[in-house]
Amino acid sequence: EAGVAQSPRYKIIEKRQSVAFWCNPISGHATLYWYQQILGQGPKLLIQFQNNGVVDDSQLPKDRFSAERLKGVDSTLKIQPAKLEDSAVYLCASSLVAGGRTDTQYFGPGTRLTVL
Amino acid sequence: DAKTTQPNSMESNEEEPVHLPCNHSTISGTDYIHWYRQLPSQGPEYVIHGLTSNVNNRMASLAIAEDRKSSTLILHRATLRDAAVYYCILRDVDDYKLSFGAGTTVTVRA
């Protein structure tokens, strides 16, 4: 079974530039998550999709971050304009069902973003 | 979110057992205890979860205290591949997200 795919793996940009990350979840998984992981910390949820609808985006800095999940499959996360503090690893995860106490999330390898 | 407390780091020798403690004194009766780990340069991966009884799978064992205020993840024979950050996470019925703390960094010596 193919895992969660993400691209690119690495990205270096200058502040105020824009950047986009792509995620392809495990086939058949209805729920997709984007997490941000700053160096030395655990991942923090940015946004959750159930099929192509947003369930929770309360932690997404909406003035600069946006995300979409077209047709309930692939997703893109965009930052425009980027700030230095956006330097982090951006992780995509998917799960079969809509969360809950026993639902397992499967993570991709992440995209490491460096903002100069 | 219910909170967990883990040591910052632990060291082990290869092929020896590793016992990773997690304190969760404010756990509610409906919280499940989940463990994920993150290998270097990879995303987190699921290890094990439990509610009240001890659990075993091919990766590890989870021992849960009778009062559920603490638990221990047991790696029976550590290998170099087990070097990772291990996260102990509580999840209630409506917890769709995983609330990660800083975790425990496990180092395995050859």
Side-chain angles (χ1 to χ4, degrees):
Chain A
E1 179 183 84
V4 176
Q6 290 188 247
S7 68
R9 291 296 312 276
Y10 305 91
K11 190 73 177 180
I12 301 174
I13 62 173
E14 299 199 348
K15 60 183 179 184
R16 292 188 289 274
Q17 287 186 324
S18 63
V19 64
F21 312 126
W22 173 82
C23 172
N24 180 239
I26 293 173
S27 177
H29 280 196
T31 309
L32 185 147
Y33 311 79
W34 283 101
Y35 288 82
Q36 179 193 56
Q37 185 172 24
I38 293 172
L39 186 65
Q41 300 180 17
K44 181 188 78 172
L45 180 72
L46 291 176
I47 189 168
Q48 178 200 357
F49 293 94
Q50 177 70 15
N51 295 311
N52 61 348
V54 175
V55 174
D56 181 3
D57 63 358
S58 60
Q59 298 301 307
L60 189 73
K62 298 180 188 63
D63 58 332
R64 298 182 300 105
F65 286 64
S66 64
E68 61 181 4
R69 189 181 185 197
L70 298 176
K71 300 180 181 179
V73 182
D74 293 5
S75 177
T76 57
L77 176 69
K78 298 179 181 178
I79 308 175
Q80 181 179 12
K83 293 185 174 181
L84 296 177
E85 58 260 37
D86 298 332
S87 294
V89 175
Y90 291 85
L91 294 158
C92 179
S94 69
S95 64
L96 189 60
V97 293
R101 290 173 291 173
T102 61
D103 185 35
T104 296
Q105 293 186 19
Y106 298 86
F107 286 79
T111 297
R112 181 177 298 277
L113 174 67
T114 302
V115 182
L116 303 176
Chain B
D1 295 334
K3 294 194 179 298
T4 63
T5 304
Q6 300 179 249
N8 291 331
S9 62
M10 293 190 72
E11 289 189 356
S12 175
N13 294 318
E14 200 173 11
E15 298 190 4
E16 289 185 354
V18 181
H19 291 243
L20 300 176
C22 181
N23 288 321
H24 28 79
S25 58
T26 59
I27 191 170
S28 75
T30 54
D31 283 336
Y32 272 74
I33 302 160
H34 289 249
W35 285 81
Y36 279 72
R37 72 178 185 180
Q38 188 170 21
L39 302 173
S41 300
Q42 295 188 26
E45 64 176 348
Y46 167 81
V47 177
I48 200 167
H49 75 273
L51 182 62
T52 56
S53 303
N54 294 344
V55 185
N56 301 296
N57 66 20
R58 63 175 181 82
M59 290 181 70
S61 295
L62 177 60
I64 302 172
E66 195 169 337
D67 64 5
R68 300 208 329 122
K69 294 184 183 300
S70 66
S71 60
T72 302
L73 180 71
I74 303 165
L75 309 178
H76 294 287
R77 292 183 66 208
T79 68
L80 296 179
R81 196 196 172 278
D82 292 320
V85 179
Y86 287 77
Y87 298 99
C88 172
I89 301 167
L90 300 183
R91 295 181 81 187
D92 200 350
V93 61
D94 295 322
D95 273 347
Y96 44 81
K97 65 182 182 294
L98 293 171
S99 297
F100 292 87
T104 298
T105 300
V106 171
T107 303
V108 181
R109 294 184 291 258

